[in-house]
Amino acid sequence: MRQRFLSFIAVLCLAATTVAQTVVNLKVADVGDKVIFTSSGFPKAEPTDTYTLDKLSLTYPVPAGSDRIFVWDKKSGNLASTDASKVSTSWDISDSSYSDIAQVKIRVEHAGQPVSAASVDLKDGRRTQSQLLDPSTKGEVEFFCVKPGQLKVSVTYKSKGQPAGPITQIYEVSLKRTNPVPSFTVSLSDDVETVGLATSTPGSVGAKGIGAGGGVAPNQPLPPAKSANPFGTFLVYLLGLGVAVGLGLFAMKYMKENGDKIAPKLEQLGVQIPKDNNDPIPDPGPVPAPVKPEPPQKIMLDNAAPDIIGGAAPSAQVMMSAPPQPSIPSVAVSGPTLISSDGVQLPLEQGDNTVGREFGQSLSLTGESTVSRNHAVLVRSGTSVVLRDLGSTNGTFVNGNKVSGEVTLIPGDSVQFGAVQFRYEA
């Protein structure tokens, strides 16, 4: 009886092992620089457990608990993946199998220097990933397994000890590109703490002592420049003055001794030279009478109050026009989008898109004093967007008209929150 029980347990363990582990035959057109790994879902970081693909056909056992198989082509920087449960026995990997980008780097800097600390969010067409900057990252973070297309990068940071941002930038990245690891830079204009990096490194071409063998270690300050000796500077000045005077005397002596040779050359150039000291100076002709200056033109300005003293006529009219408003550039969009005056696209998500001055809003207009904390909301349903004011202090406007209820936006509409203006496109 005991022997039968042990045999039954062994059969169950064997069956469980067979069910938990799937064996897949992978086939590729070329080996190249490719690695294989598995994951539960789409990974957010570069895997540590990978297998190098060194043959065109490989039998690969999928570990238990892994539901996706990935092939990373490091030459192109793209990822191919498939659901392990949907692969029967084999997976033929072609160029069309690659659908994701393995790595995307985001650099955050201020005045050309890497930012010391910040929070970076990257949103693609599938999910939102977050990374933190610290001094060890030197202003750069890396996101893994990114869906190609439009990338929305938002950076939140501190300026002078106070929360600032987010700064949002929109980028486009595709599977066909020259750089296997695309990199984008977000520049912050606010005063933020940066990581101090030396501008010169060993082996670079620069000042004496900075290149190879110069003896100056990286990240070390350059020695202070030696001040010039004032006595030496004065001697150099006197020497230069003496040379200039000597050349002038030599030229005068040469012209005096060789005047008959030099005069014809000067006359060819239009210079009139008297033959001797008694030659009369040519009469330049009558001196023209001075031209009487025109009286100053009156400044014609619109909308000025007339200058009337004792019933006299106005002394000037004011002709002054309002400064032109900045135009928002036209750009192509793939869905309902707000476009700022500097061309930044802010796609609207399905459902409620809140607008306000506080952090955490769908559209946070921090630092804009004319925008209320909870200013307005844009409700997207499919491709239709309805705008509603939330009782803001300075109002919400569409094409210059204040919004009192709900307004359905039309592509090309001018949308204004307080003093901040956008253009709506779809």
Side-chain angles (χ1 to χ4, degrees):
M1 185 68 178
R2 181 180 179 182
Q3 185 67 26
R4 289 182 180 179
F5 178 75
L6 294 176
S7 300
F8 178 71
I9 294 298
V11 170
L12 287 180
C13 291
L14 179 61
T17 303
T18 303
V19 172
Q21 191 173 56
T22 303
V23 177
V24 177
N25 184 26
L26 303 178
K27 296 180 180 179
V28 294
D30 63 280
V31 176
D33 188 6
K34 297 181 177 67
V35 296
I36 308 170
F37 63 92
T38 58
S39 175
S40 177
F42 293 94
K44 294 184 177 181
E46 181 177 349
T48 57
D49 188 10
T50 60
Y51 181 84
T52 302
L53 185 63
D54 55 359
K55 56 182 69 176
L56 297 178
S57 180
L58 173 69
T59 300
Y60 183 75
V62 180
S66 300
D67 55 10
R68 295 198 72 83
I69 311 171
F70 291 86
V71 174
W72 181 0
D73 184 357
K74 294 195 173 183
K75 183 177 180 180
S76 65
N78 294 332
L79 287 172
S81 67
T82 186
D83 189 341
S85 63
K86 296 181 180 180
V87 178
S88 57
T89 56
S90 64
W91 179 27
D92 293 340
I93 304 168
S94 60
D95 291 342
S96 61
S97 302
Y98 294 91
S99 58
D100 292 297
I101 301 170
Q103 298 166 300
V104 173
K105 291 184 178 181
I106 303 296
R107 176 181 172 85
V108 184
E109 63 179 31
H110 167 69
Q113 295 295 324
V115 172
S116 177
S119 175
V120 184
D121 294 338
L122 184 145
K123 181 178 182 181
D124 58 17
R126 179 169 50 225
R127 60 183 177 175
T128 299
Q129 301 185 59
S130 300
Q131 297 280 2
L132 293 177
L133 282 174
D134 57 47
S136 65
T137 62
K138 297 182 179 179
E140 191 172 82
V141 290
E142 181 180 289
F143 296 91
F144 195 79
C145 194
V146 176
K147 186 176 181 180
Q150 189 178 81
L151 305 181
K152 182 179 179 181
V153 178
S154 299
V155 180
T156 306
Y157 54 96
K158 284 189 175 181
S159 176
K160 298 180 180 179
Q162 298 298 322
I167 298 297
T168 301
Q169 298 287 346
I170 306 297
Y171 303 103
E172 290 283 342
V173 63
S174 66
L175 293 172
K176 295 182 179 180
R177 58 193 184 279
T178 56
N179 190 355
V181 183
S183 179
F184 304 99
T185 300
V186 178
S187 296
L188 305 181
S189 59
D190 292 337
D191 185 12
V192 295
E193 184 178 354
T194 59
V195 180
L197 296 178
T199 56
S200 301
T201 55
S204 63
V205 178
K208 183 179 180 181
I210 302 301
V216 178
N219 298 330
Q220 294 296 323
L222 296 178
K226 296 181 179 180
S227 60
N229 189 338
F231 182 72
T233 303
F234 180 70
L235 288 180
V236 172
Y237 173 76
L238 288 181
L239 180 60
L241 182 61
V243 171
V245 172
L247 290 176
L249 294 175
F250 174 79
M252 293 175 61
K253 181 180 180 182
Y254 180 82
M255 292 179 64
K256 184 177 181 179
E257 295 177 352
N258 300 275
D260 55 342
K261 297 179 181 180
I262 298 176
K265 299 293 183 182
L266 295 176
E267 289 178 354
Q268 290 179 4
L269 297 175
V271 180
Q272 298 294 330
I273 300 178
K275 299 301 181 181
D276 52 47
N277 294 333
N278 296 324
D279 289 344
I281 299 176
D283 185 6
V287 179
V291 179
K292 183 179 181 180
E294 294 291 336
Q297 297 294 326
K298 293 183 178 180
I299 301 175
M300 306 300 291
L301 303 175
D302 288 338
N303 305 324
D307 181 14
I308 301 177
I309 301 177
S315 60
Q317 295 181 351
V318 179
M319 304 274 307
M320 188 174 188
S321 60
Q325 297 294 328
S327 60
I328 299 178
S330 298
V331 293
V333 297
S334 58
T337 303
L338 289 182
I339 304 173
S340 66
S341 59
D342 54 0
V344 175
Q345 300 183 30
L346 301 172
L348 300 178
E349 306 292 340
Q350 291 289 345
D352 291 353
N353 296 264
T354 56
V355 181
R357 196 174 70 243
E358 286 188 334
F359 289 106
Q361 305 281 7
S362 303
L363 178 57
S364 297
L365 302 176
T366 57
E368 296 292 344
S369 59
T370 62
V371 178
S372 299
R373 297 179 182 275
N374 296 287
H375 197 102
V377 62
L378 298 111
V379 182
R380 176 182 173 183
S381 178
T383 58
S384 175
V385 176
V386 175
L387 173 62
R388 184 171 69 252
D389 186 82
L390 298 178
S392 63
T393 301
N394 295 309
T396 303
F397 304 85
V398 174
N399 298 325
N401 300 317
K402 187 173 183 180
V403 176
S404 58
E406 293 185 347
V407 177
T408 300
L409 298 182
I410 301 174
D413 280 349
S414 172
V415 182
Q416 186 170 333
F417 308 103
V420 184
Q421 187 175 10
F422 299 87
R423 190 179 72 248
Y424 170 74
E425 294 291 351

